[in-house]
Amino acid sequence: MKKHNTLTDGEQLLARVLEECLEEDLSFVPPEREIARKHRFSQEFEDAMSELIEDEEEEDEEEEAIRRHFRPRFGELAAVILVFFVCGAVALSLTGSFFSASTSSDMAVAETTEETEEAASAETWDMEEAEEETSGTDAGEESSEETAAGSMAEYGGELIDEAAEQELNSSLDGLTLELAYPDAEGGNTTVGYSLENSGEKTLSYVSLFDLEVYLNGLWYTVPYIGEETRDWASMGSGMVLDGALDLSAWTLDGEAHQYRLALQLADGRIGAEFTFEEAVLE
């Protein structure tokens, strides 16, 4: 009889590579709390996603019902095996002219048993594969949580998360960010900025900047306490946008002086650094 509960070397290699690829992909997914903190979706978007998820769940339930309907049952397998033994006993007790008929019956029962065992083996393999995928997903989530928990720093009396990227350029896809340093007189914490799209295509970006602080050799995200929401905006080719940011919308710590503004684009992030004079924050 055919055996399907063992894999060839090539199949084992393919399964191992697939598992490693899944773990690597999941390791790049940021924690839910960081996604929720950086992005606030509109109610219309959340309603649309809820409807999509409900449709997917209904389809999954229908597929599972179909699989359960056609899945071989253990009772049927036991009945087939019982018939096999009964027919075998009858075949041994028959002689002469009944020998040929008994042989044909045994062969038919053997073929039925083989097909049933093949179906059962295939089902067992599907269940094991599903368990391996689930185990890989759980391991990836645990790894992501451990990474997030181990990349925090104390700032202003609270713990803040490590920035999504440590190395940022001031230009990407033709969009360039430039800053005017804060004015130290009167404790002014307003930073001027200029965005210029020198590329040939319209670029999309998130309208709200991220403020990041440099601590102990790493960049961390400063908590935003303002009321502005994060929305997607676009800038056409050749456009220039000048503006100013009041940094009082973020939590500032007088002991930290090196900061940068980071801007999320559709294909990456750009950033520009600046330094506060000590008198500004005291």
Side-chain angles (χ1 to χ4, degrees):
M1 296 184 183
K2 299 180 181 178
K3 298 295 182 179
H4 293 269
N5 55 354
T6 58
L7 301 177
T8 63
D9 293 341
E11 290 173 335
Q12 291 178 352
L13 178 60
L14 181 60
R16 186 168 61 256
V17 172
L18 176 59
E19 182 178 357
E20 292 176 356
C21 291
L22 288 174
E23 292 180 354
E24 182 178 358
D25 290 342
L26 290 174
S27 67
F28 291 100
V29 178
E32 288 187 5
R33 63 175 182 176
E34 184 170 345
I35 295 176
R37 181 176 57 76
K38 290 190 176 181
H39 300 280
R40 183 179 301 170
F41 300 101
S42 64
Q43 187 61 39
E44 180 180 355
F45 176 81
E46 292 182 352
D47 292 341
M49 290 303 296
S50 296
E51 293 179 1
L52 180 60
I53 292 173
E54 291 176 357
D55 293 341
E56 290 290 341
E57 290 177 349
E58 291 178 357
E59 292 180 0
D60 291 341
E61 291 176 356
E62 293 177 357
E63 292 179 357
E64 180 61 23
I66 293 173
R67 286 196 295 268
R68 285 198 300 267
H69 179 73
F70 291 102
R71 186 176 299 163
R73 296 173 174 81
F74 290 105
E76 296 176 356
L77 178 59
V80 172
I81 295 175
L82 179 60
V83 170
F84 175 82
F85 284 111
V86 171
C87 292
V90 172
L92 292 175
S93 64
L94 295 179
T95 58
S97 60
F98 298 101
F99 179 78
S100 178
S102 300
T103 303
S104 300
S105 176
D106 290 343
M107 293 179 61
V109 173
E111 291 177 357
T112 303
T113 305
E114 182 178 350
E115 293 175 356
T116 305
E117 290 181 351
E118 289 178 359
S121 298
E123 179 187 357
T124 302
W125 164 248
D126 292 339
M127 294 177 62
E128 292 177 352
E129 185 177 14
E131 290 177 356
E132 291 178 356
E133 292 178 355
T134 303
S135 176
T137 301
D138 293 341
E141 292 177 352
E142 293 176 359
S143 177
S144 298
E145 293 176 357
E146 292 175 357
T147 301
S151 57
M152 304 182 74
E154 184 174 355
Y155 172 85
E158 61 179 317
L159 293 177
I160 59 176
D161 295 320
E162 183 180 341
E165 297 180 51
Q166 292 297 315
E167 299 294 334
L168 292 181
N169 295 321
S170 60
S171 180
L172 179 66
D173 294 337
L175 187 63
T176 302
L177 172 64
E178 294 183 353
L179 301 180
Y181 283 81
D183 183 3
E185 295 182 3
N188 184 11
T189 57
T190 299
V191 177
Y193 67 87
S194 176
L195 281 173
E196 179 180 0
N197 184 5
S198 59
E200 298 180 354
K201 62 180 180 179
T202 299
L203 299 176
S204 298
Y205 63 95
V206 176
S207 59
L208 181 61
F209 284 90
D210 287 323
L211 180 64
E212 298 174 353
V213 61
Y214 193 71
L215 300 172
N216 303 322
L218 292 174
W219 288 101
Y220 293 86
T221 302
V222 178
Y224 178 69
I225 57 177
E227 299 180 354
E228 184 178 349
T229 59
R230 295 177 180 271
D231 297 313
W232 283 97
S234 60
M235 177 177 289
S237 176
M239 290 183 61
V240 177
L241 176 63
D242 295 326
L245 284 179
D246 184 1
L247 300 183
S248 62
W250 285 267
T251 302
L252 297 179
D253 185 351
E255 297 182 359
H257 307 294
Q258 188 172 357
Y259 293 82
R260 73 180 180 188
L261 288 180
L263 187 64
Q264 180 67 52
L265 309 184
D267 297 327
R269 303 174 79 228
I270 59 175
E273 300 179 16
F274 63 92
T275 302
F276 273 122
E277 297 293 339
E278 184 175 358
V280 175
L281 296 180
E282 288 183 345

